[in-house]
């Protein structure tokens, strides 16, 4: 039950033991110095250090939160992720300033972590950091694209019209990155522009199959009707008359 004993219990392989120790420690007064010392004393074990970081983020002592926030500047992206998760879990810091701080982080893994907390946030509040996070998409990273998509799903029309479309106004000249963003956004305008891109560029069968898949997803009658008309256009296009294309259509 002593501070030293509870910190030692944080090393336990048993999650229940660690949880009880954490719960009791964060309720104690004047434990910041002991937890900070535990963090420094266990530099050789990143697991023990991470457990200390999560505890620091939950202390009433502001020095704990400040120390974790300082870790957002670490050279190691894994520590930046750990610090961000700890601050999110601790619920003692507003998330939006942290999102704004890390939106243009050099690591896509850190940016994916930021995207994970942006779901259900109001579009106008996150528009600027979202612009940076979209700009960070390299056109290849499927995990990053899906992290973006999870945020897009909340307001696809606003994202496409206000952020994505102005950056790629001509569908006939889209590259793979632009195609992928429209493919994942799936707003009505995004799907219409993606269809124009496909009809203009005549992609080879494998690429056509990947892009056309989005028109097979229908969540409303209006969406079903729009997708049907698009597929009819593909079906009648001379460039897509071969069996490879028709099977997909």
């Amino acid at each position: 039950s002593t501070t030293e004993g509870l910190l030692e219990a944080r090393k336990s392989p048993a999650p229940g033991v660690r949880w009880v120790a954490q719960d009791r420690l964060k309720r104690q007064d004047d434990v910041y110095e002991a937890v900070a010392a535990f963090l420094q004393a266990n530099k050789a074990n990143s697991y023990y250090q991470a457990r200390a970081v999560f505890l620091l983020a939950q202390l009433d002592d502001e020095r704990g939160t400040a120390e974790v926030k300082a870790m957002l500047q670490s050279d190691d992206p894994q520590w930046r992720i750990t610090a961000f998760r700890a601050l999110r879990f601790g619920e003692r810091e507003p998330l939006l300033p942290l999102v704004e701080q890390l939106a243009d982080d050099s690591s896509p893994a850190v940016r994916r972590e930021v995207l994970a907390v942006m779901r259900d946030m109001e579009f106008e509040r996150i528009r600027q950091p979202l612009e940076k996070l979209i700009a960070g998409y390299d056109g290849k990273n499927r995990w990053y694209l899906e992290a973006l998509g999870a945020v897009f799903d909340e307001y696809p029309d606003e994202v496409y019209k206000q952020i994505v479309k102005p950056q790629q106004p001509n569908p006939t000249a889209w590259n793979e990155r632009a195609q992928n963003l429209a493919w994942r956004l799936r707003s009505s305008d995004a799907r219409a522009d993606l269809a124009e891109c496909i009809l203009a560029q005549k992609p080879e069968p494998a690429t056509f199959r990947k892009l056309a898949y989005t028109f097979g997803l229908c969540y409303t009658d209006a969406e079903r009707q729009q997708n049907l008309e698009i597929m009819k256009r593909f079906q009648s296009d001379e460039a897509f008359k071969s069996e490879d294309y028709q099977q997909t259509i």
Side-chain angles (χ1 to χ4, degrees):
S1 61
T2 64
T3 299
E4 293 74 16
L6 291 171
L7 284 170
E8 191 65 25
R10 291 290 288 156
K11 297 180 179 180
S12 171
V17 172
R18 297 199 304 269
W19 183 266
V20 170
Q22 173 179 275
D23 189 59
R24 292 184 180 180
L25 281 165
K26 70 182 183 183
R27 296 174 189 273
Q28 292 185 4
D29 296 325
D30 302 322
V31 296
Y32 166 75
E33 287 84 358
V35 179
F38 179 88
L39 176 66
Q40 293 301 316
N42 288 280
K43 287 185 176 180
N45 190 312
S46 59
Y47 295 99
Y48 295 168
Q49 282 196 304
R51 293 168 192 173
V53 170
F54 268 74
L55 182 54
L56 285 169
Q58 297 177 71
L59 298 181
D60 287 332
D61 194 319
E62 293 181 357
R63 292 176 295 174
T65 304
E67 185 162 350
V68 178
K69 287 176 69 175
M71 294 178 187
L72 296 174
Q73 306 294 331
S74 171
D75 292 334
D76 186 342
Q78 290 302 317
W79 279 116
R80 298 199 297 275
I81 291 172
T82 300
F84 184 72
R85 288 179 178 176
L87 291 166
R88 178 188 182 188
F89 185 79
E91 296 184 334
R92 297 183 182 278
E93 286 290 315
L95 285 176
L96 187 57
L98 303 178
V99 166
E100 293 171 339
Q101 178 181 344
L102 297 175
D104 54 359
D105 192 276
S106 60
S107 167
V110 174
R111 299 197 303 274
R112 286 200 308 269
E113 198 70 29
V114 172
L115 285 162
V117 308
M118 293 172 66
R119 298 180 68 178
D120 299 324
M121 288 186 175
E122 294 179 7
F123 174 71
E124 290 304 325
R125 296 181 65 209
I126 64 168
R127 175 173 174 167
Q128 289 188 339
L130 185 57
E131 287 181 2
K132 295 179 180 179
L133 289 159
I134 292 173
Y137 172 54
D138 63 2
K140 301 290 185 182
N141 190 322
R142 291 180 293 173
W143 294 269
Y144 193 87
L145 179 62
E146 183 54 33
L148 284 170
V151 180
F152 294 164
D153 288 343
E154 302 292 327
Y155 14 66
D157 293 322
E158 292 88 341
V159 172
Y160 188 69
K161 290 178 181 178
Q162 298 182 37
I163 300 178
V164 175
K165 177 70 171 179
Q167 297 177 0
Q168 48 190 62
N170 182 11
T172 63
W174 279 359
N175 58 16
E176 181 181 11
R177 179 184 182 277
Q179 292 170 355
N180 288 347
L181 285 171
W183 176 88
R184 185 56 185 84
L185 259 162
R186 302 200 69 261
S187 71
S188 177
D189 288 349
R191 283 181 282 114
D193 285 347
L194 182 60
E196 294 304 322
C197 174
I198 293 171
L199 288 164
Q201 296 187 9
K202 319 294 186 189
E204 44 81 30
T207 300
F208 175 84
R209 185 179 304 112
K210 181 190 76 170
L211 296 175
Y213 175 78
T214 198
F215 302 108
L217 299 175
C218 307
Y219 299 106
T220 66
D221 288 340
E223 189 173 3
R224 184 177 296 106
Q225 185 60 39
Q226 181 188 21
N227 289 350
L228 177 61
E229 295 303 318
I230 289 171
M231 296 307 287
K232 286 180 177 178
R233 292 179 67 191
F234 292 158
Q235 186 177 39
S236 62
D237 193 290
E238 288 299 322
F240 303 137
K241 290 295 186 181
S242 73
E243 183 177 358
D244 287 340
Y245 291 106
Q246 290 297 312
Q247 285 179 342
T248 298
I249 295 169

